[in-house]
Amino acid sequence: VHVRDVDSGFDADLLCPAATCRSPLTARKGPLGRVEHFAHRPGTRPCTWKETSAHYEAKAALAALTLTLPAGIAEFEGAKREVSREGRLDFDDVSIEFRMDGITPDVVLRKSVNDVVHELLVEVKVTHGCGPEKIARIREGRHAAVEIDLARWKHASVEDIHAAVLRDAPRIWLYNDKIEAGVVALKTAAQARAERPR
């Protein structure tokens, strides 16, 4: 439930979504300019859950098993080559916070093509993006991965967050093997031009 959809104040039926907490929450709504939010009641044991509601809803939205992917653009020394077009892709399966290769992506989407299962890692950026160490592990593992920027939707309605995740929010490739191959091709072409007799 979004904070905008409930009355201000304490409600014993509103529980923290953290599995290790589940404490009742208070909906805090105040004057214009104050960010509406849920808060733990004073005296509640500390909760270490740091996920924003936008982040939580983004992961829920991906249970729809569809996602618009950004175009894949290879770039090298000012030259660009489109290696894949922007477009919607449907998936067969989803895992939330699934640990793999020493990392825990926000979401892993899977699609089977000719009995081969392809995985797409999805990272959701609300307050901060995917860190360099995690990106390095993604690249080392050659995992196809995108990051969706939900900063503008941090306090949006559930419906707007879901629409942003599935198609409207900015998104970039963290790793795409077609882009990597495109960069190699551009480098090779640049080297061949440089070695050409004049």
Side-chain angles (χ1 to χ4, degrees):
V1 62
H2 195 279
V3 67
R4 291 179 182 168
D5 299 328
V6 300
D7 294 328
S8 182
F10 175 73
D11 185 336
D13 292 330
L14 294 172
L15 304 179
C16 175
T20 56
C21 182
R22 306 299 288 163
S23 299
L25 300 173
T26 298
R28 291 191 175 161
K29 300 184 174 191
L32 290 175
R34 178 180 178 183
V35 175
E36 298 176 346
H37 64 283
F38 288 114
H40 291 80
R41 301 190 80 195
T44 304
R45 63 190 173 96
C47 175
T48 58
W49 201 60
K50 299 294 184 187
E51 189 169 42
T52 66
S53 60
H55 200 261
Y56 182 82
E57 286 301 334
K59 292 191 289 188
L62 290 167
L65 297 177
T66 187
L67 183 64
T68 297
L69 298 176
I73 308 294
E75 297 184 51
F76 180 72
E77 293 184 347
K80 293 184 181 183
R81 177 181 295 175
E82 184 177 84
V83 295
S84 61
R85 293 184 178 177
E86 177 181 346
R88 194 184 85 173
L89 189 61
D90 295 325
F91 295 86
D92 305 318
D93 183 49
V94 61
S95 294
I96 308 294
E97 301 283 347
F98 179 76
R99 186 158 181 81
M100 55 190 296
D101 291 349
I103 56 173
T104 305
D106 289 328
V107 176
V108 179
L109 292 166
R110 297 181 187 86
K111 184 176 183 66
S112 181
V113 180
N114 299 325
D115 296 324
V116 177
V117 177
H118 299 270
E119 292 182 324
L120 174 69
L121 281 53
V122 182
E123 293 293 326
V124 179
K125 174 182 176 182
V126 180
T127 56
H128 58 278
C130 192
E133 184 178 326
K134 192 171 189 180
I135 292 174
R137 285 184 177 270
I138 288 170
R139 295 182 65 81
E140 285 167 14
R142 297 174 55 89
H143 298 294
V146 296
E147 182 178 73
I148 302 172
D149 187 351
L150 285 185
R152 285 174 39 208
W153 287 267
K154 186 175 181 180
H155 302 293
S157 68
V158 170
E159 294 78 13
D160 287 346
I161 290 170
H162 283 221
V165 169
L166 300 182
R167 64 178 181 272
D168 298 336
R171 57 207 62 214
I172 60 167
W173 286 104
L174 297 177
Y175 181 82
N176 178 321
D177 57 2
K178 290 182 180 178
I179 293 175
E180 298 300 310
V183 170
V184 169
L186 290 173
K187 285 181 179 178
T188 302
Q191 186 174 3
R193 286 193 301 272
E195 293 172 354
R196 205 174 289 153
R198 300 190 179 195

